[in-house]
Amino acid sequence: MTPRLDMSLRPARPEDVPQIAAIYGQAVLTSTASFEIDPPSIDEMTTRFSRLTLAGYPYLVAVDGALADQADGVLGYAYAGPSHARAAYRFTVENSVYVAQEARGQGVGGALLAALIRTCAEHGYRQMLAVISESSSSAASQALHGRHGFTLVGSARSIGYKFGAWIDVHTMQRSLGEGDRSPPDDAPLP
Ligand SMILES: CC(C)(COP(=O)(O)OP(=O)(O)OC[C@H]1O[C@@H](n2cnc3c(N)ncnc32)[C@H](O)[C@@H]1OP(=O)(O)O)[C@@H](O)C(=O)NCCC(=O)NCCS
């Protein structure tokens, strides 16, 4: 069990985007967790943030407990977005969880993932996918998702190429709410 940080979770706000961009940018530059090569600008991250949140997808931040109401102290973030564009996929979301390097191993990722799962189930989504590329933190990510009910449903070999190496990608999945035990309800979706 990892030691817990004093933190709180809340929906992300536009003023959090520079810190979100910094956390993501560091991962882009230093790891294969993201398949982007160049860190997106704050403007680009703002566009991505707005597109998701205006469509009603949940986007959460974990904030240092002492700074909960300020746009400072973002320890990590998690969001869900469409897994695929075509309409029949609309009850399935793909998640993304990033924790600042210095805040890892203290329960931030777990707290964000648990809250994201809960929120997506409340919104009426039925399945969540996690697409995890081999990286320095993929063992932690797979352990984290496994602990939150995800199972490995497939792996694709060498579909990424970054930092001079071919990279495998693993897909994990868990159901949300009633999963496939009942027909979905379009009404609560964004
Ligand atoms: C994956 C990531 C989100 C985890 O965040 P975190 O705040 O460190 O996660 P937590 O502290 O809540 O939990 C990590 C779990 O992995 C375990 N873990 C850590 N390193 C591990 C390893 N090498 N092998 C197996 N398990 C490991 C920890 O023990 C912990 O489990 P526990 O709580 O049962 O002890 C973080 O490493 C990260 O941001 N990585 C880069 C982005 C990424 O890969 N995102 C996931 C794909 S979208």
Side-chain angles (χ1 to χ4, degrees):
M1 203 57 185
T2 48
R4 307 286 118 172
L5 267 183
D6 175 22
M7 70 178 127
S8 61
L9 304 185
R10 60 167 171 74
R13 305 173 190 141
E15 57 267 32
D16 299 320
V17 172
Q19 288 192 78
I20 289 169
I23 291 169
Y24 182 62
Q26 193 197 29
V28 168
L29 283 175
T30 62
S31 88
T32 54
S34 164
F35 274 4
E36 292 199 74
I37 305 287
D38 300 313
S41 66
I42 292 173
D43 278 354
E44 169 62 17
M45 289 296 280
T46 301
T47 301
R48 295 181 191 184
F49 171 80
S50 301
R51 195 182 300 136
L52 281 173
T53 53
L54 289 174
Y57 290 101
Y59 204 128
L60 308 173
V61 285
V63 184
D64 187 311
L67 303 167
D69 287 327
Q70 302 170 31
D72 283 322
V74 174
L75 302 166
Y77 66 93
Y79 63 81
S83 70
H84 298 79
R86 300 206 172 159
Y89 287 112
R90 67 193 181 283
F91 299 100
T92 299
V93 287
E94 182 180 323
N95 74 11
S96 201
V97 186
Y98 280 83
V99 174
Q101 189 91 45
E102 60 279 7
R104 291 184 191 167
Q106 300 174 82
V108 178
L112 282 165
L113 184 56
L116 190 71
I117 290 167
R118 195 169 53 246
T119 308
C120 286
E122 285 166 6
H123 280 45
Y125 296 107
R126 293 299 185 91
Q127 301 291 330
M128 181 178 282
L129 299 178
V131 179
I132 302 169
S133 47
E134 290 283 345
S135 74
S136 53
S137 62
S138 56
S141 181
Q142 289 194 49
L144 180 67
H145 283 88
R147 205 156 44 75
H148 287 269
F150 288 74
T151 56
L152 184 68
V153 293
S155 296
R157 281 176 48 90
S158 302
I159 59 169
Y161 188 80
K162 187 174 176 182
F163 302 151
W166 293 106
I167 303 156
D168 297 348
V169 175
H170 308 288
T171 302
M172 298 183 79
Q173 177 176 355
R174 68 156 281 162
S175 60
L176 303 169
E178 295 191 359
D180 58 6
R181 295 193 304 280
S182 63
D185 179 3
D186 264 308
L189 288 184

